[in-house]
Coordinates of all heavy atoms in Angstrom, one line a residue:
S303 N 13.1 -56.0 27.9 CA 12.5 -54.8 27.3 C 13.5 -53.9 26.7 O 13.3 -53.3 25.7 CB 11.6 -54.1 28.3 OG 12.3 -53.4 29.4
Q306 N 14.3 -54.4 23.2 CA 13.1 -54.0 22.1 C 12.4 -55.2 21.8 O 11.9 -55.3 20.6 CB 13.7 -53.3 21.0 CG 14.3 -51.9 21.4 CD 14.7 -51.1 20.3 OE1 13.8 -50.6 19.5 NE2 16.0 -50.6 20.2
R318 N 6.0 -64.8 32.1 CA 5.0 -65.5 32.7 C 4.4 -66.8 32.1 O 4.1 -67.7 32.6 CB 3.9 -64.7 33.4 CG 4.3 -63.7 34.3 CD 3.2 -62.8 34.9 NE 3.5 -61.9 35.9 CZ 3.3 -60.6 35.8 NH1 2.7 -60.0 34.7 NH2 3.8 -59.7 36.7
G320 N 6.2 -68.6 30.1 CA 7.2 -69.6 29.8 C 8.0 -69.4 28.5 O 8.7 -70.4 28.2
T323 N 14.0 -68.3 28.7 CA 14.8 -69.3 29.5 C 16.1 -68.5 29.9 O 16.5 -67.5 29.2 CB 15.3 -70.5 28.8 OG1 16.0 -70.1 27.5 CG2 14.0 -71.3 28.3
K342 N 23.0 -66.6 29.7 CA 22.3 -66.9 28.4 C 20.8 -66.9 28.5 O 20.3 -67.6 29.0 CB 22.8 -68.2 27.9 CG 22.3 -68.5 26.5 CD 22.8 -69.9 26.1 CE 22.3 -70.4 24.6 NZ 22.6 -71.6 24.2
E349 N 18.5 -66.8 21.3 CA 19.3 -66.2 22.3 C 19.4 -64.7 21.9 O 19.5 -64.2 20.8 CB 20.8 -66.7 22.2 CG 21.7 -66.1 23.2 CD 23.1 -66.6 23.2 OE1 23.2 -67.6 22.4 OE2 23.9 -66.1 24.1
M359 N 11.2 -44.2 16.2 CA 10.6 -43.2 15.4 C 9.2 -42.8 16.0 O 8.4 -43.7 16.3 CB 10.3 -43.7 13.9 CG 9.5 -42.8 13.0 SD 9.0 -43.5 11.4 CE 10.6 -44.0 10.8
V378 N 6.8 -35.4 24.5 CA 6.9 -36.6 23.6 C 7.3 -37.7 24.4 O 6.9 -38.9 24.0 CB 8.0 -36.2 22.5 CG1 7.5 -35.1 21.6 CG2 9.4 -35.8 23.1
A385 N 8.1 -47.3 26.4 CA 9.2 -47.7 25.4 C 10.3 -48.4 26.2 O 10.7 -47.9 27.3 CB 9.6 -46.6 24.6
D409 N 21.3 -43.0 22.3 CA 22.6 -43.0 21.7 C 23.1 -41.5 21.6 O 22.8 -40.9 20.6 CB 22.5 -43.6 20.3 CG 23.9 -43.9 19.7 OD1 24.8 -43.1 20.1 OD2 24.0 -44.7 18.8
L416 N 24.1 -36.1 14.3 CA 22.9 -35.6 13.5 C 22.7 -34.2 13.7 O 22.1 -33.6 12.9 CB 21.7 -36.6 13.9 CG 21.8 -37.9 13.5 CD1 20.7 -38.8 14.1 CD2 21.8 -38.2 11.9
S418 N 24.9 -31.8 14.7 CA 26.0 -31.0 14.4 C 25.9 -30.2 13.2 O 25.6 -30.7 12.2 CB 27.4 -31.9 14.2 OG 28.4 -31.1 13.9
M421 N 27.5 -31.2 9.9 CA 27.1 -32.4 9.3 C 26.1 -32.1 8.2 O 25.9 -32.8 7.1 CB 26.4 -33.3 10.2 CG 27.3 -34.0 11.2 SD 28.8 -34.9 10.4 CE 28.0 -36.1 9.5
V423 N 22.8 -32.1 8.1 CA 21.7 -33.3 7.8 C 20.5 -32.7 7.3 O 20.0 -31.7 7.9 CB 21.6 -34.0 9.2 CG1 20.4 -35.0 9.1 CG2 22.7 -34.6 9.7
Y428 N 6.8 -30.7 5.2 CA 5.6 -30.4 4.4 C 5.0 -29.1 5.2 O 4.7 -29.0 6.4 CB 4.5 -31.5 4.4 CG 3.3 -31.0 3.9 CD1 3.0 -30.8 2.5 CD2 2.1 -30.8 4.8 CE1 1.8 -30.3 2.1 CE2 0.8 -30.4 4.1 CZ 0.7 -30.2 2.9 OH -0.5 -29.8 2.3
D451 N 19.1 -13.3 11.7 CA 20.4 -13.8 12.4 C 21.6 -13.1 11.9 O 21.6 -12.4 10.9 CB 20.5 -15.3 12.3 CG 19.4 -16.0 13.0 OD1 18.7 -15.4 13.9 OD2 19.1 -17.2 12.7
T469 N -3.3 -19.0 -0.5 CA -2.6 -20.1 0.3 C -1.8 -20.9 -0.7 O -1.9 -20.9 -1.8 CB -3.6 -21.1 0.9 OG1 -4.3 -21.8 0.0 CG2 -4.5 -20.3 1.9
L474 N 9.8 -28.3 1.9 CA 11.0 -27.5 2.1 C 12.1 -28.3 2.8 O 11.8 -28.8 3.9 CB 10.6 -26.3 2.9 CG 11.7 -25.3 3.2 CD1 12.2 -24.6 1.8 CD2 11.3 -24.2 4.3
G479 N 19.2 -26.2 11.9 CA 18.2 -26.4 12.8 C 18.0 -25.1 13.7 O 18.0 -25.3 15.0
K499 N 4.8 -30.0 9.2 CA 5.1 -31.4 9.5 C 6.5 -31.8 9.0 O 6.6 -31.7 7.7 CB 4.0 -32.2 9.0 CG 4.0 -33.8 9.1 CD 2.8 -34.5 8.8 CE 2.9 -36.1 9.2 NZ 1.6 -36.7 8.8
I501 N 8.7 -34.7 7.6 CA 8.4 -35.9 6.9 C 9.8 -36.8 6.7 O 9.6 -38.0 6.4 CB 7.7 -35.7 5.6 CG1 8.5 -34.9 4.5 CG2 6.3 -35.1 5.8 CD1 8.0 -35.0 3.1
L508 N 9.3 -40.7 7.5 CA 8.2 -40.9 8.5 C 7.3 -42.0 7.9 O 7.0 -42.1 6.8 CB 7.4 -39.7 8.7 CG 6.1 -39.8 9.4 CD1 6.4 -40.1 11.0 CD2 5.2 -38.5 9.5
A529 N 23.5 -44.1 10.5 CA 25.0 -44.2 10.8 C 25.9 -44.1 9.5 O 26.8 -43.3 9.6 CB 25.3 -45.7 11.4

Side-chain angles (χ1 to χ4, degrees):
S303 67
Q306 301 190 58
R318 293 183 181 121
T323 62
K342 181 179 179 180
E349 184 174 358
M359 173 190 301
V378 293
D409 187 341
L416 291 172
S418 171
M421 293 304 298
V423 173
Y428 169 72
D451 294 340
T469 65
L474 181 68
K499 181 175 185 176
I501 61 174
L508 179 64

